[in-house]
Amino acid sequence: AYSRYDAMMVRLSRRFANGLAVNFNYTRSRAMDILDNDSDNIINPFNIRQNWGPAGYDQPNVFTTDFVYDLPKVRGAMDNPFARTVFNGWEVTGIFRAQSGVPISIGANGSTMGVDSGSQYANLVGDAYAGQNKQQWLNPAAFQRPADGQYGNLGRNALRMPGIRNVDASLIKNFAITETAKAALRCEVFNLFNHPQIWGLNTGFSADNPGGSISSGNNNFGQPNSWREARILQLALRFSF
């Protein structure tokens, strides 16, 4: 087989009652393949199986929880037309998502004596994540250029990007205009806590000599080169009739 996907999915739900509905979802999965798309290369044409590894979209763990909560309506002494208009009809929703980082391959310069049909992979000779921080995700000293005529010992998609943790939320005010006409004013926030999250890394490793460590000119290897979007706030007004 040239691709395989195995998964287990678990869902726990609290149906809407007393103004609250909550869902918990967890997926444990593994996606393996030889190529992600037609533009990818087979590194070793004499051993296609050498390309077998995690798919580029493989995320072993994905957890989400979402909720909808209708705030309580006014009662007792506050139950009057003005208070009902101001305080009734409020709704809060949110979703939290945590997922594993996607796989990445570490390319390297070097010669495979003309038998390769794509990029070379680096050798891993240490802890790839040692000294990790937000400015330096991979440890340059952990990699080595393969000897000429040899393939690197790192396989395809052998390492991973950082995982994602994200919260989106909405605050909604519902208005009943008539029996059939309604309006909803929505305030929606994406990436509520404005967490900076890495979305791309410099993965091109190069060394001056076969079997050598990283070149002095390759000073951005393992560093983030793109980030997920910062907090986004949007307002919307919807009429239904």
Side-chain angles (χ1 to χ4, degrees), residues 26-231:
Y26 173 70
T27 301
R28 173 67 178 176
S29 65
R30 183 178 68 168
M32 304 286 289
D33 62 16
I34 288 177
L35 298 173
D36 289 333
N37 53 64
D38 293 340
S39 63
D40 288 350
N41 292 309
I42 297 293
I43 299 302
N44 183 355
F46 302 107
N47 181 12
I48 295 177
R49 188 77 179 178
Q50 190 172 331
N51 253 53
W52 181 258
Y57 49 86
D58 178 53
Q59 294 173 312
N61 298 286
V62 178
F63 172 79
T64 62
T65 180
D66 60 87
F67 72 92
V68 176
Y69 179 57
D70 285 346
L71 274 65
K73 297 179 179 180
V74 294
R75 296 179 179 178
M78 289 192 63
D79 191 2
N80 59 71
F82 175 79
R84 287 196 295 270
T85 300
V86 174
F87 297 111
N88 287 357
W90 288 97
E91 179 182 342
V92 180
T93 69
I95 180 168
F96 168 74
R97 182 180 180 91
Q99 63 191 47
S100 303
V102 295
I104 52 174
S105 298
I106 306 302
N109 60 334
S111 171
T112 51
M113 303 305 184
V115 298
D116 64 309
S117 59
S119 301
Q120 169 69 288
Y121 294 139
N123 280 331
L124 182 65
V125 295
D127 182 354
Y129 303 110
Q132 185 181 86
N133 57 61
K134 290 183 178 181
Q135 286 72 43
Q136 187 71 51
W137 183 254
L138 297 177
N139 172 24
F143 301 91
Q144 182 187 73
R145 173 178 163 177
D148 286 344
Q150 297 182 6
Y151 291 99
N153 62 20
L154 263 181
R156 170 177 163 268
N157 289 341
L159 302 178
R160 288 190 179 270
M161 293 266 290
I164 298 297
R165 309 288 184 271
N166 188 68
V167 177
D168 300 329
S170 300
L171 178 63
I172 305 165
K173 178 67 168 81
N174 297 296
F175 301 90
I177 301 172
T178 67
E179 288 187 4
T180 58
K182 298 179 181 179
L185 179 63
R186 304 175 62 95
C187 176
E188 300 173 330
V189 186
F190 304 95
N191 189 5
L192 176 64
F193 300 109
N194 202 31
H195 287 162
Q197 300 188 80
I198 298 171
W199 196 238
L201 293 174
N202 290 299
T203 57
F205 175 89
S206 63
D208 296 329
N209 300 299
S213 57
I214 192 167
S215 169
S216 59
N218 192 190
N219 52 22
N220 63 356
F221 170 76
Q223 296 178 3
N225 57 16
S226 64
W227 303 79
R228 285 172 57 87
E229 288 185 318
R231 182 191 295 123

